[in-house]
Amino acid sequence: MRVLLLGADGFIGRRVTDRLLMDQELQVTVLGRRDSADIRFDLTTGSPGALARFLDAVAPQVVINCAGATYGSSRTLIRSNTLAVATVCEAIRRSREPARLVHVGSAAEYGPVPGGVPVSEQAEPRPVGPYGVSKLAGTELVLASGLDAAVLRVFDVVGPGAPTASLFGRLAEGLRRALERDESQVRMPDLSGYRDFVDVRDVARAIQAAAVSAATGVVNIGSGHAVRARDAAQLLVRASGFEGAIVEENRQVLLPAQAGGPVGDHLPGHHLPGHRVEGHRPEGRVAAGEPVPWRQADVRTARDRLGWRTQVPLEESLGDVWLETACRV
């Protein structure tokens, strides 16, 4: 099977590249802006006609779109997450043999959802910021394109290679710096929100499964479990051996390496055993700046239509985040 991969240099794209290249049944071509790409092309500025000519030359049976932007101005997000998707869809439509499209969406498209309830693909999207809006617009373009297409609505991705601007990428760098400088505190945003964390390697497996499946429409990709960000942070702190304080806005939480129970055991308002908590701030604000206190995927569609489920436990995923950060030169 011939596969054209877009966005191979991103956090998810790198893992997808590794996985696809290990499959001897796949012939993978990478299109992107960097010199390492097989085909140099900028989706934010290139025309659909030019991209269609590349598609005709490669003749892929599947196009996997991992390209996009997570951070930046509203203009950058719209160009990367919406305009680029429009270019991809139109180019595939114009090509001689339109390929199947697997597009990576985001759980941020859902926006606020009822607490304590897994969100299904049938939920009405209500994104609250430029990122979620730009991703939803891209998803709607794919769904309205008339192509053989699936959108994988990926929840909160963790694992080795996490960008330093991400929640756990930032925490890992802060822990490394604190240990190197013998500092007693690491400052973080509010960690009170609940999120559905899924390892990037499991996401790559889901994308590969979607590429060779007949599934269409939106498919949630998550663990199916909501974990408080503060409890997840404890796992990363344990892995690092840091024994100081994690300071989140107006609250101070001490996370000793051996304190506390398993992730998910602690309910809102309950302090982790052995932890010092000082101050108070309103619940419901989360690290990424979204007023979304709860996010959990209903993953039945991924299980039933892709034959996919997660394999990497959160503790292992965050342990690998720390291992990579600690070994980085």
Side-chain angles (χ1 to χ4, degrees), residues 248-308:
E248 39 177 305
E249 294 191 347
N250 295 328
R251 169 174 280 186
Q252 188 175 46
V253 182
L254 182 64
L255 300 176
Q258 303 303 320
V263 165
D265 285 355
H266 309 288
L267 300 175
H270 291 183
H271 299 160
L272 300 177
H275 292 47
R276 184 177 74 253
V277 178
E278 299 177 359
H280 176 76
R281 46 91 188 90
E283 299 292 340
R285 296 180 60 198
V286 297
E290 300 175 53
V292 180
W294 173 274
R295 192 150 65 203
Q296 178 185 355
D298 181 332
V299 294
R300 288 175 294 181
T301 301
R303 180 193 62 203
D304 296 343
R305 302 188 68 187
L306 302 182
W308 174 90

Side-chain angles (χ1 to χ4, degrees), residues 71 163-178 183-192 197 229-234 236-237 242 244-255 281 285-289 318 321:
Y71 310 99
T164 54
S166 68
L167 177 64
F168 293 116
R170 172 177 174 176
L171 177 56
E173 286 296 331
L175 291 169
R176 173 178 169 171
R177 184 170 56 251
E183 296 173 345
S184 61
Q185 293 184 347
V186 174
R187 295 189 172 275
M188 289 293 293
D190 182 11
L191 299 172
S192 63
F197 298 110
R230 187 175 301 128
D231 293 351
Q234 177 191 353
L236 185 51
V237 172
F242 179 67
I246 303 299
V247 181
E248 39 177 305
E249 294 191 347
N250 295 328
R251 169 174 280 186
Q252 188 175 46
V253 182
L254 182 64
L255 300 176
R281 46 91 188 90
R285 296 180 60 198
V286 297
L318 291 173
V321 170

Side-chain angles (χ1 to χ4, degrees), residues 94-312:
R94 294 187 190 184
S95 63
R96 286 195 295 266
E97 298 181 12
R100 172 172 170 77
L101 174 61
V102 175
H103 174 69
V104 177
S106 169
E109 298 170 35
Y110 285 121
V113 296
V117 179
V119 59
S120 75
E121 292 88 350
Q122 286 70 46
E124 184 70 23
R126 295 183 296 148
V128 295
Y131 172 70
V133 170
S134 67
K135 290 297 290 184
L136 178 60
T139 290
E140 292 297 329
L141 285 167
V142 172
L143 298 179
S145 67
L147 300 171
D148 173 13
V151 175
L152 302 190
R153 198 165 266 166
V154 178
F155 278 63
D156 297 80
V157 188
V158 296
T164 54
S166 68
L167 177 64
F168 293 116
R170 172 177 174 176
L171 177 56
E173 286 296 331
L175 291 169
R176 173 178 169 171
R177 184 170 56 251
L179 290 167
E180 288 176 346
R181 300 177 182 178
D182 197 25
E183 296 173 345
S184 61
Q185 293 184 347
V186 174
R187 295 189 172 275
M188 289 293 293
D190 182 11
L191 299 172
S192 63
Y194 286 78
R195 289 291 180 266
D196 187 328
F197 298 110
V198 56
D199 188 86
V200 65
R201 292 159 290 192
D202 281 331
V203 173
R205 286 195 307 106
I207 292 170
Q208 182 183 26
V212 299
S213 78
T216 58
V218 176
V219 181
N220 285 342
I221 301 299
S223 70
H225 303 283
V227 177
R228 201 170 199 175
R230 187 175 301 128
D231 293 351
Q234 177 191 353
L235 295 177
L236 185 51
V237 172
R238 281 183 190 169
S240 73
F242 179 67
E243 296 183 352
I246 303 299
V247 181
E248 39 177 305
E249 294 191 347
N250 295 328
R251 169 174 280 186
Q252 188 175 46
V253 182
L254 182 64
L255 300 176
Q258 303 303 320
V263 165
D265 285 355
H266 309 288
L267 300 175
H270 291 183
H271 299 160
L272 300 177
H275 292 47
R276 184 177 74 253
V277 178
E278 299 177 359
H280 176 76
R281 46 91 188 90
E283 299 292 340
R285 296 180 60 198
V286 297
E290 300 175 53
V292 180
W294 173 274
R295 192 150 65 203
Q296 178 185 355
D298 181 332
V299 294
R300 288 175 294 181
T301 301
R303 180 193 62 203
D304 296 343
R305 302 188 68 187
L306 302 182
W308 174 90
R309 62 183 69 233
T310 58
Q311 294 182 352
V312 183

